[in-house]
Amino acid sequence: MINIPYLTALTTLFSYGLLFAFGQLRDLFRKFLEWFSSNKLQGYAPICLGLEDFYTRRLYLRIQDCFGRPIASAPDAWIDVVERYSNDYNKTLKRTTNTTRCLNLGSYNYLGFAAADEYCTPRVIESLNKFSPSTCSARVDGGTTVLHEELEDLVARFVGKPAAVVFGMGYVTNSAILPALIGKGALIVSDSLNHNSIVNGARGSGATVRVFQHNTPSHLEEVLREQIATGQPRTRRPWKKIIVVVEGIYSMEGELCKLPEIIAVCKKYKAYTYLDEAHSIGAVGKTGRGVCELLGVDPADVDIMMGTFTKSFGSCGGYIAGSKELVKYLKYACPAHLYATSMSPPAVQQVISAIKVILGEDGSNRGAQKLARIRENSNFFRSELQKMGFEVLGDNDSPVMPIMLYNPAKIPAFSRECLNQKVAVVTVAFPATPLLLARARICISASHTKEDLIKGLEVISKVGELVGIKYFPVEPEKQQLEGREKLE
Amino acid sequence: MRRHETWFPLGPWRVPYNFSHDRKKTGENSPRLRDLSNSVTSTPSSATGEFRLAIFRTTRSLQTVLDLMASAVMNMTSSALDWLVVAFDAPFARAVVFGVHVDGHFVVEVLLVAVILFQLFQKSYKPPKRPLTEKEIDELCEEWVPEPLIPPLTKGMDYEPPVLESAAGPHTMLNGKEVVNFASANYLGLVGHEKLIESCTSALEKYGVGSCGPRGFYGTIDSHLDCEARIAKFLGTPDSILYSYGISTIFSAIPAFCKKGDLIIADEGVHWGVQNGLHLSRSTVLYFKHNDMESLQNTLEKVTRQNQRAKKVRRYIVVEAVYQNSGQIAPLDVIIKLKEKYRFRVVLDESNSFGVLGNSGRGLCEYYGVPVEKIDIITAAMGHALATDGGFCTGSIRVVDHQRLSSSGYVFSASLPPYLASAAITAIDMLEENPNLLSKLKENLAILWKGFSDVPGLSIASNPHSPIVFVHLKKSTGSFESDLKLLEEITSRVLKEDSVLLVTSKKSFLDKCRLPAGIRMFVSAAHSESDLLKASEALKRVAASVMSDFI
């Protein structure tokens, strides 16, 4: 739970209030202007009604340059950020040919497979030559290649499940699997901070959705008890089945799921568990097998294991791992398997090679080194940030660490200032977080060296000082200096 | 008693009849009444004068009877009241307390008022609320038996797809054997093309495979922006937006524009991606008959005439350019006319027409000679003609920019791997440079159509210009499943005997499309004449033998 300091909450609300008032004022002027010009709609309803795009027009556009910065290189430890400029007060941004080399603290490149890799890249190019970039066909038709089969076996072996099926996009994996598994008369109990793809999948399934407090097993138990006791609304029939959906690492919070407790509750109440390991697979656990390994949960206790290849494996797509029957059923019923173009073969090869490196099957110990490095880097960076007095969310071992900003003005200030000092950070605002809880998010990679991390920390500390986001009482400077000396 | 008579409203009507007397009179009257009514009904054809007289008599006697009855009832009530008043008068003996005469009336009225007040202040009846005790909930939880996670597997579910051992070009390897491939929507034959692979290789070396982030967070690679600009330039639109997967394009774009309460008119034959988008938008969705413009017009007419509210909400027509489920081509010219007449916006899915239809492959707009601005939202998957992956949406600046923050599949998903964006750019370049790819495709389609002139039991349902040749049964065997089984028998035999890979239109139980099953043949510009003839010959021969077994 995030406790906003009282004063901060007040100033944040005041800022948003001010922005809203100004926005309204500008809208009023706009209305006057439009009154005089001829009506362009010609009888069509406007694309956005009322306040639907108010946020975009009046709040987001002001700080548009902090988001979607194009890069001209692989999303590795250092990236070339393309410079942009605007001639119309940030309404549109134009690309230039200039780039700035920046330290990348924003990409989900946890294991450092984003850039060309000595083991992966040659194999990927070989697959590209053999299979071309696309099969132009769905998996059930002519879209299954030997690579897809190999990856499915490998993923099943890697996550410790009997079988797996892969899809070409992580988002689609969630949003097309849930409707195939569950429907009317069944219940989805979802964590309140689950990713949008899960929300869309749940909505698309037609099942009833109930939400439990973020990462709170006791509340999950409460919800389950109440729902099983009362049954379906109106008809009062008992639920057909209940699926509890949680994520391994919550990408906006950096928190690890309290999986052992949640599994215990689900087992007690006979609910099925769906674990989305989008950010955790490959990134945490001694051998990179995700939260199950890290928290000591037997994968057999999780009914449906979902994950993506976008993050740790530096590719694209997603998987579902489960029992043989489950996978067979999904291959028969899931629309993403039946209708969507299959995953691009070179991307499949990238995942195969990356998993082999992680497992040490490439004949080196690079995988183990990468895993040790990401853990070390994450824990070092997190503890340093905490020492500096930032409000850092999340758990140890998690490579995602949000730094709370709160005030809307601090979003662009932090982002732009960091970029000026050649550190690319991600700031997250409204559509992805609650309005008041804007934050900067640091994603640590195994490809960061210690020097990179120290540079990052120095810049963040300096900018944090400037912007005023060290919300926790800063420890005496002496200690901080000592800590830094130790590093060097 | 005088005072009492003026005070009590029933008083003046009191008639000195006693109860038994009254009863006797009514008893006498009733047979007479019956007689009269008999005479009226028994002589309907008698003279009108007599008839009138009879009616007059009847009413008169009826009146008398009613009078008598009323007075009897009044008598009864008043005598009962009299008795009551006397009974209550007696104990108080008409005492006067503080200037108020306390008599029987007063007592009765006070009692009545007391009862009314008592009833008013009484709570309405509710069964006592007894929430379940913890123990009861425990028992209920103990009792509850969930259904299995998945239904029991049946025999039809263990379908094993063909596993390709080489690129999905016009010829591919299956189990060590070369087969002619009609299963890939490789319309322009770009799969395995040198140039495409070259551009991918250089992109892979520069950018790696994945983009490791959504577009908002350093997942925007310059090749994405180049690809967006290239697509927009090719189609003549101001801008376009890239999605990382073909099927997610349409199902994210529709909910970005249509919300609860909005109105969508869609073709009933749209594919699952569109259906899912319609469902997620939570708009009011009406379907018109597959590719039937009359039905579309009727629906539009009905909706706009009936519903005044429809004028205020956003209204969309959702159609596919080439329907994946039937190979039909949407008559865009008519749709545009209707759209302009009824002021609807059009969402067009060009997944199977982009790069195929029109003289230079610019899609359905070019095919019908309709300016592209007339279509409000165009989406397409790039996993077909462009032989890469992902999808795009294009339209006005407003339409494109709106999606960059409102489209969930764009905002919340990692971006397209950059090498696929480079491949798309190269594919469009190649299409522009080699218009003969399109003429070759047209020729191939014509050859296949010619070869299909008389296949026993099968007919082509698709449009002659559609790159999907959709073959279905002339006569359905009864259900989608049995049709599909029959067609699968044909395709598997064609594969085994003639090494031609054909696919049937399999359907997920989530797909609500009700169009008949068929064999989908994706024709490519890279197919040679002999491939096409082989396919049509094989299908003809196998269909003849399979159909003879069934018919």
Side-chain angles (χ1 to χ4, degrees), chain A residues 13 126 160 163 177 204 216 218 241 252 260 262 264 299 315 366 435 438 453:
Chain A
L13 278 174
E126 191 188 312
I177 281 292
T216 318
S218 57
K241 55 188 164 189
M252 287 299 157
I262 287 172
S315 179
R366 280 174 56 227
L435 198 61
L453 296 181

Side-chain angles (χ1 to χ4, degrees), chain A residues 80-99:
Chain A
D80 296 325
V81 178
V82 178
E83 285 173 19
R84 294 185 293 179
Y85 67 96
S86 175
N87 290 333
D88 47 7
Y89 303 104
N90 242 8
K91 218 172 186 179
T92 55
L93 290 164
K94 298 217 165 54
R95 247 192 316 162
T96 64
T97 46
N98 302 339
T99 58

Side-chain angles (χ1 to χ4, degrees), chain B residues 247-316:
Chain B
I247 204 162
S248 76
T249 312
I250 184 85
F251 82 58
S252 301
I254 293 178
F257 293 102
C258 315
K259 308 273 183 234
K260 202 168 182 169
D262 292 341
L263 184 65
I264 304 179
I265 315 275
D267 190 290
E268 62 176 9
V270 289
H271 67 81
W272 177 82
V274 184
Q275 290 171 26
N276 193 30
L278 297 175
H279 177 75
L280 289 176
S281 74
R282 304 199 227 184
S283 311
T284 314
V285 185
L286 296 171
Y287 291 95
F288 64 92
K289 267 194 205 142
H290 180 51
N291 223 15
D292 183 344
M293 288 305 108
E294 216 164 281
S295 170
L296 171 63
Q297 176 157 21
N298 291 341
T299 317
L300 288 169
E301 182 69 40
K302 219 167 101 188
V303 156
T304 41
R305 188 179 290 170
Q306 273 179 2
N307 194 347
Q308 280 306 309
R309 206 180 58 85
K311 291 214 168 83
K312 295 215 173 94
V313 299
R314 285 165 288 201
R315 306 170 296 275
Y316 291 91

Side-chain angles (χ1 to χ4, degrees), chain A residues 24 28 30 98 158 185 226 230 238 254 262 270 370 375 377:
Chain A
Q24 285 291 338
L28 195 72
R30 163 65 52 87
N98 302 339
F158 183 63
E226 191 200 321
T230 53
I262 287 172
K270 289 166 278 190
K370 276 174 185 287
R375 196 161 46 244
N377 282 356

Side-chain angles (χ1 to χ4, degrees), chain B residues 104-124:
Chain B
H105 277 287
F106 189 77
V107 174
V108 173
E109 279 148 20
V110 167
L111 272 174
L112 281 174
V113 169
V115 168
I116 289 168
L117 281 178
F118 175 76
Q119 289 291 344
L120 274 178
F121 284 100
Q122 206 67 8
K123 271 184 191 160
S124 60

Side-chain angles (χ1 to χ4, degrees), chain A residues 43 45 47 52 68-69 71 95 108 129 132 136-137 144 146 171 225 239-241 270 272 310 314 333 339 341 344, chain B residues 138 142 144 147 149 164 183-185 192 197 210 212 216 218 220 222 226 245 314-315 345 408 414 419 508 511:
Chain A
I47 285 180
E52 267 175 18
R69 288 189 185 124
I71 61 174
R95 247 192 316 162
Y108 306 136
N129 287 323
S132 195
C136 298
S137 186
T144 307
V146 279
Y171 187 94
R225 282 175 73 86
W239 293 108
K240 285 183 180 160
K241 55 188 164 189
K270 289 166 278 190
Y272 302 107
T310 326
Y339 304 129
T341 315
S344 168
Chain B
D138 279 342
E142 197 66 37
W144 180 63
E147 278 181 11
L149 183 57
L164 273 58
S184 292
I197 288 173
C212 284
Y218 302 104
T220 305
D222 49 4
D226 294 338
Y245 207 35
R314 285 165 288 201
R315 306 170 296 275
R345 288 198 173 86
S408 53
Y419 76 92
S508 161
D511 192 340

Side-chain angles (χ1 to χ4, degrees), chain A residues 225-368:
Chain A
R225 282 175 73 86
E226 191 200 321
Q227 289 302 327
I228 296 174
T230 53
Q232 297 181 35
R234 294 177 63 226
T235 60
R236 300 287 165 223
R237 299 278 162 81
W239 293 108
K240 285 183 180 160
K241 55 188 164 189
I242 300 179
I243 296 186
V244 174
V245 189
V246 291
E247 284 185 38
I249 289 181
Y250 291 89
S251 65
M252 287 299 157
E253 319 298 312
E255 281 174 353
L256 292 169
C257 169
K258 289 183 183 149
L259 197 60
E261 294 90 332
I262 287 172
I263 294 284
V265 172
C266 290
K267 268 194 166 171
K268 189 173 164 197
Y269 293 98
K270 289 166 278 190
Y272 302 107
T273 37
Y274 184 109
L275 174 65
D276 177 346
E277 291 217 77
H279 285 265
S280 53
I281 192 73
V284 295
K286 194 156 174 289
T287 53
R289 287 179 164 87
V291 278
C292 283
E293 192 185 26
L294 183 71
L295 303 173
V297 173
D298 184 0
D301 288 340
V302 183
D303 297 287
I304 307 142
M305 292 179 78
M306 181 269 170
T308 63
F309 303 128
T310 326
K311 282 97 188 181
S312 306
F313 307 110
S315 179
C316 67
Y319 68 84
I320 294 280
S323 67
K324 278 213 162 67
E325 294 73 34
L326 173 79
V327 168
K328 194 170 252 186
Y329 177 70
L330 288 178
K331 283 187 174 178
Y332 160 77
C334 180
H337 191 78
L338 263 69
Y339 304 129
T341 315
S342 66
M343 188 172 161
S344 168
V348 176
Q349 181 60 55
Q350 163 77 14
V351 185
I352 295 175
S353 315
I355 294 182
K356 282 192 172 157
V357 171
I358 296 171
L359 288 172
E361 285 174 15
D362 61 327
S364 76
N365 63 347
R366 280 174 56 227

